[in-house]
Amino acid sequence: MRTYLSTLIFLLISQVTLAQVDLEKYNNTTTNQEYIDLLADDLKKLERFVSFFSKNSDEPRTPSEVAPLKVAFNQHDYDVNIDQVTQANIQFTDLMKDDFISIKLVQDPSIYRSLDDIKAPVYLKKVYYHDGTTQNIETKTNINTHFTPDLELTKAVDKIDIEIAFSTVKKIDSLVLPAKVNQKVTYHGVDIEVIEVSDKGILFKTSSDELKLDEIQAILKDKRRVSSYSSQRSGMHPKEFNLFIKNSVKKIDDIIAYANANIEMEHSQFKSVVGAKLSDLEAQLSTEFNKSEGVSYHYHEFGKPVDKLVIYNNNETYERSITKTLTNREPKSRYIGSKGGKTLIYNQDLKLVKEFSSKYFFINDYYFETDLQYFYLNDKLEMQPLSYYKVNNILNNFVVIQEDDESPQELVDPTNKKIMNVDSYEEDKDFKYALIASNNSYYLLNNKSLTPVKINNVDKVRTADKGYFVVMKDEKYGFMNTEGQIVVPIQYDEVKSFSSMTDLLPTDLLFAVKQKDKWGFVDVNNKTVIPFIYSGVKGTFSYGIALVYLDDALGLINLKNEKKSKFIDGNYSSSSNFGKRMINLSDSTYNYKGDKEIDN
């Protein structure tokens, strides 16, 4: 089936919004009525979008005063930011979608919203498949998005090469255009002409839709400089565009009426005939819409009479690309799908190896459930019924089960073999580990181990966040990583855990430890970075800043052990916004980088 509605929606509202239509649902319809209902529902959504974004408010609004746009570009600071952002431990997962493998980036769990912080397209450059073969990706596909892009890869993926393409405005141009009808100026070879002027807005036309206008401001008749509170852009004059929309919606309505009149038609024939009508309409509307291709109309409302229009355009950019190789954080031995109430099992080469007529909900690659029972998918690809009362997935296809509501918890491996009783366990899906307590011992299951590994020579283990654990032996403390390695020896009197509410950049990886009644910070090799001179610590480093006590007075230090604030008393409060702390001390308020906040 053609992607008719997606094109119509793109033509009608792509200038002002982004709408997505799930086209696969049309192919999956089983009745004509279901098909019509879906089509009618999408048309209603289209009408709502068009109504919302094409309506200009007649209510008076107060325009927002603004300052002239200026760019203060500092290449050194921008490069430092790029270096910091790209140190993030970005990973990816692969998943099956529409009979192909798609890639989904996974942010660094130590840094909140690290993918959003990149603020740059991420292009897939090369794919390393599970069988050792590779594929170069010639088409630039931005995978730095919340949606999973379909790349039409054909096998399980082990690694990928990506290019992060940073770009920022280095210099800007501005031009001033008097708000008078037929006033025209040529800019970068493009004609810009004022078409209409009203008491609250202005319509102008550019002879090319390739000219990117980064900011539009206006000088009002009363000499104030303001920004527009409403804007629209289209390849047609607004009056023609509104008529085009009206006619388009009517023609789609006519097709829905035809579909209702022929609802008794055999379903496959119905889809073919109605789909053909919509495809023909798509081609017709596309031709009408593209008659004015190359011309762009811009309407901006300012709420007051305009004297001059100020147009800003990016004149020069600074660009820098970073290439990284990412590993698959969850490599799969098989892919599980469902279609039409059936459960489908595919191998790593996307070959369908088993089809079940019933729908099973997967817990992991081996354990499944229905509303009434749990099942195990054995080596013969048979759904083996289980008598378990409860099954919880933890990691690497291991599960924790209970035989009944009074029985102890037990760890069961991917072969359905019981390993040990479980007194308690903690799992962390972000850092891919499970810490298991059993019979006064601790075991670690990570993303690399095939079996739980016993943690020897410790009395107690607790999670310290950010992928680390506090370990204790004979009332001394140290740190262990998720691979079970002791990175900070168990020799300190007290230690401080990391916080799940603050970001931990790679440069912040310092452990707060106490010896001989003084606190300091050591690195992952137990090298002292911040000397043992502090009477206490309020938290670990984040964005190069830590809260420490010096003779019972609280203040901020940086990674060079320099004071970033006054040390007055112990009064403080703090908050966290997506991992970035705001700290209030007695002398001032400090942002997440340790800079004083300036009162407006």
Side-chain angles (χ1 to χ4, degrees), residues 174-298:
S174 65
L175 62 93
V176 178
L177 188 62
K180 297 180 180 178
V181 176
N182 299 326
Q183 190 72 40
K184 183 186 293 186
V185 66
T186 300
Y187 177 70
H188 287 255
V190 177
D191 292 333
I192 303 176
E193 181 181 2
V194 176
I195 303 299
E196 295 176 5
V197 178
S198 70
D199 60 354
K200 66 176 182 178
I202 186 168
L203 173 70
F204 66 94
K205 178 178 72 173
T206 61
S207 61
S208 170
D209 57 9
E210 297 296 322
L211 181 63
K212 183 179 179 181
L213 306 179
D214 296 289
E215 174 98 7
I216 305 293
Q217 297 180 352
I219 307 297
L220 302 180
K221 294 289 187 181
D222 60 12
K223 306 305 179 184
R224 286 184 297 158
R225 179 186 289 261
V226 299
S227 62
S228 62
Y229 57 75
S230 177
S231 64
Q232 293 180 10
R233 176 179 175 271
S234 172
M236 292 180 176
H237 189 286
K239 293 179 181 178
E240 295 177 359
F241 186 58
N242 290 336
L243 181 61
F244 172 79
I245 290 174
K246 183 177 179 180
N247 291 337
S248 300
V249 171
K250 182 182 182 304
K251 290 175 181 178
I252 299 172
D253 258 330
D254 291 342
I255 292 178
I256 293 178
Y258 172 86
N260 278 308
N262 291 273
I263 195 169
E264 300 300 327
M265 189 182 296
E266 191 275 326
H267 186 55
S268 61
Q269 182 184 5
F270 177 89
K271 287 196 289 187
S272 176
V273 173
V274 177
K277 286 182 174 293
L278 285 162
S279 296
D280 290 343
L281 177 58
E282 174 191 319
Q284 176 189 341
L285 295 179
S286 179
T287 300
E288 291 180 17
F289 187 82
N290 290 325
K291 284 180 180 178
S292 58
E293 186 174 6
V295 176
S296 183
Y297 288 85
H298 304 257

Side-chain angles (χ1 to χ4, degrees), residues 6 10 18 28 36 52 57 105 116 132 137 143 172 188 204 240 283 287 297 359 361 382-383 397 485 546 555 585 591:
S6 65
F10 173 78
L18 173 63
N28 290 336
I36 293 171
F52 179 79
S57 174
L105 293 185
D116 296 321
I137 307 298
I143 60 176
I172 59 171
H188 287 255
F204 66 94
E240 295 177 359
T287 300
Y297 288 85
K359 188 168 184 178
F361 299 95
E382 300 168 332
M383 284 292 181
N397 294 312
Q485 300 169 333
L585 298 176
N591 66 16

Side-chain angles (χ1 to χ4, degrees), residues 77-343:
D77 290 348
Y78 188 69
D79 282 334
V80 168
N81 179 66
I82 289 176
D83 293 337
Q84 184 183 74
V85 167
T86 53
Q87 285 183 55
N89 181 28
I90 307 168
Q91 296 174 303
F92 76 94
T93 61
D94 62 342
L95 60 154
M96 187 174 178
K97 189 173 186 290
D98 299 334
D99 300 323
F100 292 101
I101 293 296
S102 290
I103 297 295
K104 180 179 181 180
L105 293 185
V106 180
Q107 67 182 38
D108 187 335
S110 288
I111 308 171
Y112 274 99
R113 298 170 62 89
S114 59
L115 295 183
D116 296 321
D117 288 342
I118 289 177
K119 294 183 176 66
V122 179
Y123 298 120
L124 185 63
K125 302 295 290 183
K126 188 173 183 178
V127 176
Y128 301 80
Y129 289 111
H130 75 98
D131 57 5
T133 60
T134 61
Q135 178 184 350
N136 293 319
I137 307 298
E138 303 299 334
T139 303
K140 282 194 171 184
T141 302
N142 181 15
I143 60 176
N144 185 18
T145 171
H146 293 293
F147 303 102
T148 304
D150 294 325
L151 299 164
E152 298 192 350
L153 308 178
T154 56
K155 290 179 285 190
V157 178
D158 279 346
K159 295 189 302 181
I160 58 174
D161 288 345
I162 61 168
E163 175 191 359
I164 308 175
F166 291 93
S167 178
T168 190
V169 176
K170 192 173 181 179
K171 292 181 181 180
I172 59 171
D173 276 347
S174 65
L175 62 93
V176 178
L177 188 62
K180 297 180 180 178
V181 176
N182 299 326
Q183 190 72 40
K184 183 186 293 186
V185 66
T186 300
Y187 177 70
H188 287 255
V190 177
D191 292 333
I192 303 176
E193 181 181 2
V194 176
I195 303 299
E196 295 176 5
V197 178
S198 70
D199 60 354
K200 66 176 182 178
I202 186 168
L203 173 70
F204 66 94
K205 178 178 72 173
T206 61
S207 61
S208 170
D209 57 9
E210 297 296 322
L211 181 63
K212 183 179 179 181
L213 306 179
D214 296 289
E215 174 98 7
I216 305 293
Q217 297 180 352
I219 307 297
L220 302 180
K221 294 289 187 181
D222 60 12
K223 306 305 179 184
R224 286 184 297 158
R225 179 186 289 261
V226 299
S227 62
S228 62
Y229 57 75
S230 177
S231 64
Q232 293 180 10
R233 176 179 175 271
S234 172
M236 292 180 176
H237 189 286
K239 293 179 181 178
E240 295 177 359
F241 186 58
N242 290 336
L243 181 61
F244 172 79
I245 290 174
K246 183 177 179 180
N247 291 337
S248 300
V249 171
K250 182 182 182 304
K251 290 175 181 178
I252 299 172
D253 258 330
D254 291 342
I255 292 178
I256 293 178
Y258 172 86
N260 278 308
N262 291 273
I263 195 169
E264 300 300 327
M265 189 182 296
E266 191 275 326
H267 186 55
S268 61
Q269 182 184 5
F270 177 89
K271 287 196 289 187
S272 176
V273 173
V274 177
K277 286 182 174 293
L278 285 162
S279 296
D280 290 343
L281 177 58
E282 174 191 319
Q284 176 189 341
L285 295 179
S286 179
T287 300
E288 291 180 17
F289 187 82
N290 290 325
K291 284 180 180 178
S292 58
E293 186 174 6
V295 176
S296 183
Y297 288 85
H298 304 257
Y299 177 69
H300 288 262
E301 285 188 3
F302 299 95
K304 297 287 183 179
V306 175
D307 182 45
K308 298 175 183 177
L309 202 63
V310 184
I311 300 173
Y312 292 96
N313 181 61
N314 176 18
N315 183 48
E316 186 176 347
T317 59
Y318 174 71
E319 298 178 350
R320 180 182 168 195
S321 294
I322 302 292
T323 301
K324 299 188 71 170
T325 298
L326 310 184
T327 56
N328 192 339
R329 65 173 289 156
E330 297 178 89
K332 299 173 181 61
S333 58
R334 57 171 65 114
Y335 296 88
I336 301 159
S338 62
K339 186 176 295 186
K342 297 179 179 180
T343 300

